[in-house]
Amino acid sequence: IRKGAGLDIENAVVVFDEAHNLLEAVNGSHSSSLKGEDAAAAANAIQAYVGQYAPRLSARNTMYLKKLQKVCSLFSSYISSLKQSTACTVGALFVRAGVEQFDFADLHDWLRDADVLRKIRGFAEAQAAKAARDGG
């Protein structure tokens, strides 16, 4: 929580007001949710980005983008197949979605170093704005 909020509390006294909510806040900081439509939108945005910039992408970046797009597609397919919301461990989710074979540490390092998420998001937002201007 400290790292995410950018807090440095070394040699400090921390007072919690509303401490009865502390456990819920800590638990919430270590969990997340993913909707099938969000994973599908990410997969589609990556596919469109690669389609637009393929000639300018290095072979390495193309490879990682295709891996990322596949991961998003697999998550989307799995989540869309669920009849109701479900909770599970990360490991169980990876196996159920069929993404356990991907090296997520390597993918994470590439994402951080390539700054590609910012680029894809900007591209997707520009495409959505263009579609809105053009009437859909």
Side-chain angles (χ1 to χ4, degrees), residues 71-116:
V71 166
C72 292
S73 293
L74 288 168
F75 276 134
S76 175
S77 294
Y78 169 68
I79 294 166
S80 297
S81 75
L82 297 173
K83 303 291 185 226
Q84 63 186 26
S85 294
T86 187
C88 62
T89 64
V90 172
L93 173 63
F94 282 14
V95 170
R96 293 173 189 170
V99 299
E100 72 279 6
Q101 75 276 11
F102 291 93
D103 183 346
F104 281 89
D106 184 48
L107 192 55
H108 170 269
D109 290 345
W110 173 77
L111 285 167
R112 182 195 60 228
D113 296 343
D115 194 29
V116 72

Side-chain angles (χ1 to χ4, degrees), residues 17 22 24 32 40 42-43 45 108 113 116 129:
D17 187 19
L22 186 59
E24 183 179 327
S32 61
H108 170 269
D113 296 343
V116 72

Side-chain angles (χ1 to χ4, degrees):
I1 295 174
R2 289 178 297 147
K3 185 177 179 183
L7 298 175
D8 179 12
I9 60 171
E10 189 172 336
N11 297 320
V13 174
V14 179
V15 177
F16 293 100
D17 187 19
E18 303 287 326
H20 61 278
N21 294 324
L22 186 59
L23 184 59
E24 183 179 327
V26 170
N27 284 336
S29 72
H30 294 287
S31 65
S32 61
S33 62
L34 177 63
K35 295 180 181 176
E37 57 265 21
D38 292 337
N44 291 336
I46 294 164
Q47 184 176 22
Y49 182 86
V50 170
Q52 178 72 33
Y53 295 109
R56 296 163 53 186
L57 295 170
S58 69
R60 180 175 185 263
N61 284 347
T62 300
M63 176 192 71
Y64 277 105
L65 284 164
K66 287 183 178 184
K67 284 182 184 182
L68 184 60
Q69 195 257 341
K70 182 67 174 175
V71 166
C72 292
S73 293
L74 288 168
F75 276 134
S76 175
S77 294
Y78 169 68
I79 294 166
S80 297
S81 75
L82 297 173
K83 303 291 185 226
Q84 63 186 26
S85 294
T86 187
C88 62
T89 64
V90 172
L93 173 63
F94 282 14
V95 170
R96 293 173 189 170
V99 299
E100 72 279 6
Q101 75 276 11
F102 291 93
D103 183 346
F104 281 89
D106 184 48
L107 192 55
H108 170 269
D109 290 345
W110 173 77
L111 285 167
R112 182 195 60 228
D113 296 343
D115 194 29
V116 72
L117 294 179
R118 179 187 58 79
K119 295 171 186 174
I120 294 170
R121 182 178 185 170
F123 173 78
E125 288 173 352
Q127 293 296 98
K130 183 178 185 289
R133 279 193 313 273
D134 295 344

